[in-house]
Amino acid sequence: MFSSYPEKCFLKRINTRMVLSFTALVFLFAIFFGMGLLCRFFGKKLADVESRLKMSVQQNEEISRQVQKLIEVYAELKGRPVEVVRREIIKEGVSTNDLLVEAVSRIAPAVVSVVVSKDVPQFEITYVNPFGDDPFFKDFDIRIPQYRRKGTTEQKVGAGTGFIISNQGYIVTNRHLVDDLSARYTVLLSSGLQKEAQVLYRDNEIDIAVLKVEGSGYPTVVLGDSDKLKLGQSVFAIGNALGEYNNSVSVGVISGLNRNLEAFGVAGSEKLRNVIQTDAAINPGNSGGPLANLNGEVVGVNVAYNRNAENIGFSIPINAIKAIIAPYLK
């Protein structure tokens, strides 16, 4: 008889090898599957990190460009080489207040006060007896006041602000400030001189007008780019606040963009479209004055404010009027 023992041993060896091979395959499959999951997981993480790094680099580049621009403006105002100023800024630092002071000093000479005046009737009071020479009432000494016109006198009836855009004496202001055809307009320059102004242009769509004073060699503003304004960006308004305090400065930020509203004034109401909102105080008398950035560039024309709230003012974006005033910039 043949023993079956060798066959059983052979089968056991085969079964053992198969189990080990299968186990190895499962183990390898698990390793590769796990590696795939890990690669997929870390791949997403790496992509996210890479995306954030790119955004950070872009933001840093934008900040660097803005800082470089501010340094160039500051160097120009100081009349010193950019590299020297950059080293001083790195060493000592330049505050926002320093930039604001420089920006105001740059734009203020070109800001003017606009005074509106016209001939106003004058009256005198006389007292008369309504019964005339009637003898019945002669002992009662009855007198009633009666107003009688006595010529006219020139009086100030309004005030606002403007800014010079050309050294030939062209000035931008609001149309609603100079819409009275019978009034006379006087411009008070930052130097203290007064000049009679002629209204050359009143726009029918935008609350903008252009004035002209005789002479040349006037200081002018620099026009900025209102399309680049950002929420929270620092700005300031400058003008003839309350018609009494010329070149008053108020500081704030861009509170909103592309606002639509209806403004009310003496001449009626007017719809304002796509205007800038700022919390820089805009008071009566600021109409027609500039809203400027920290580079000293005009980015808006102050036009209205909300009477029912504090520090909610509105300006016409400077880019909206560039085509209108282009002929006067030459």
Side-chain angles (χ1 to χ4, degrees):
M1 293 181 63
F2 294 97
S3 173
S4 62
Y5 179 76
E7 293 177 357
K8 289 180 180 179
C9 290
F10 178 74
L11 289 173
K12 285 182 179 180
R13 291 193 189 99
I14 292 175
N15 290 337
T16 301
R17 289 176 181 173
M18 290 179 65
V19 169
L20 290 173
S21 299
F22 180 77
T23 302
L25 287 173
V26 170
F27 181 74
L28 290 173
F29 178 80
I31 290 175
F32 284 116
F33 183 76
M35 289 179 64
L37 289 177
L38 288 173
C39 289
R40 188 174 180 182
F41 175 78
F42 285 108
K44 288 183 177 179
K45 290 292 184 181
L46 288 172
D48 184 55
V49 170
E50 183 180 2
S51 176
R52 292 186 180 183
L53 284 173
K54 287 181 179 179
M55 290 179 62
S56 178
V57 169
Q58 291 173 352
Q59 290 174 349
N60 288 335
E61 289 176 350
E62 179 61 23
I63 292 172
S64 297
R65 284 193 293 269
Q66 293 295 329
V67 170
Q68 175 63 21
K69 187 174 182 180
L70 289 174
I71 290 174
E72 291 173 356
V73 171
Y74 190 78
E76 181 181 350
L77 292 172
K78 289 291 187 180
R80 304 175 66 185
V82 173
E83 290 302 322
V84 174
V85 172
R86 182 184 288 109
R87 287 195 295 270
E88 291 178 353
I89 289 174
I90 294 172
K91 182 178 179 180
E92 300 177 6
V94 174
S95 67
T96 301
N97 185 66
D98 294 329
L99 294 174
L100 175 63
V101 171
E102 294 288 353
V104 171
S105 66
R106 185 179 187 184
I107 194 174
V111 178
V112 302
S113 298
V114 180
V115 178
V116 185
S117 58
K118 62 187 305 182
D119 291 332
V120 178
Q122 295 295 299
F123 297 90
E124 64 177 1
I125 301 176
T126 60
Y127 294 89
V128 297
N129 186 336
F131 303 104
D133 297 329
D134 190 323
F136 180 79
F137 293 99
K138 67 178 181 178
D139 295 328
F140 289 91
D141 194 25
I142 299 174
R143 296 286 186 270
I144 62 172
Q146 189 176 68
Y147 292 89
R148 183 173 62 186
R149 183 167 177 172
K150 186 183 178 181
T152 60
T153 184
E154 185 177 358
Q155 287 187 4
K156 174 182 173 181
V157 295
T161 309
F163 53 92
I164 305 172
I165 58 172
S166 165
N167 61 12
Q168 297 300 308
Y170 293 102
I171 299 168
V172 168
T173 189
N174 285 146
R175 182 194 65 242
H176 74 257
L177 179 63
V178 294
D179 59 359
D180 190 339
L181 300 180
S182 64
R184 287 183 291 277
Y185 302 100
T186 305
V187 167
L188 176 62
L189 303 174
S190 60
S191 63
L193 294 177
Q194 292 188 10
K195 295 272 188 176
E196 293 296 321
Q198 178 186 3
V199 182
L200 297 185
Y201 178 80
R202 296 178 177 92
D203 193 85
N204 294 323
E205 300 296 329
I206 303 177
D207 193 352
I208 289 295
V210 178
L211 311 181
K212 175 71 168 68
V213 292
E214 293 299 324
S216 61
Y218 295 103
T220 62
V221 299
V222 176
L223 303 182
D225 186 353
S226 55
D227 289 341
K228 293 183 178 180
L229 291 175
K230 304 293 183 183
L231 292 178
Q233 181 177 337
S234 295
V235 289
F236 64 93
I238 181 170
N240 186 19
L242 303 179
E244 297 182 27
Y245 309 106
N246 61 307
N247 277 16
S248 294
V249 177
S250 58
V251 182
V253 299
I254 299 297
S255 306
L257 297 168
N258 301 315
R259 301 296 198 204
N260 298 319
L261 61 140
E262 189 169 7
F264 296 88
V266 176
S269 64
E270 181 175 6
K271 292 182 179 179
L272 302 176
R273 301 297 183 192
N274 301 316
V275 294
I276 302 164
Q277 179 187 337
T278 179
D279 67 349
I282 296 177
N283 300 295
N286 281 119
S287 291
L291 184 73
N293 59 25
L294 292 187
N295 294 333
E297 300 168 336
V298 177
V299 293
V301 183
N302 300 324
V303 66
Y305 66 98
N306 191 322
R307 294 180 179 177
N308 299 319
E310 292 185 3
N311 300 335
I312 298 182
F314 302 96
S315 299
I316 300 169
I318 197 66
N319 286 10
I321 72 166
K322 283 183 176 178
I324 296 172
I325 64 177
Y328 306 102
L329 294 174
K330 300 177 181 179

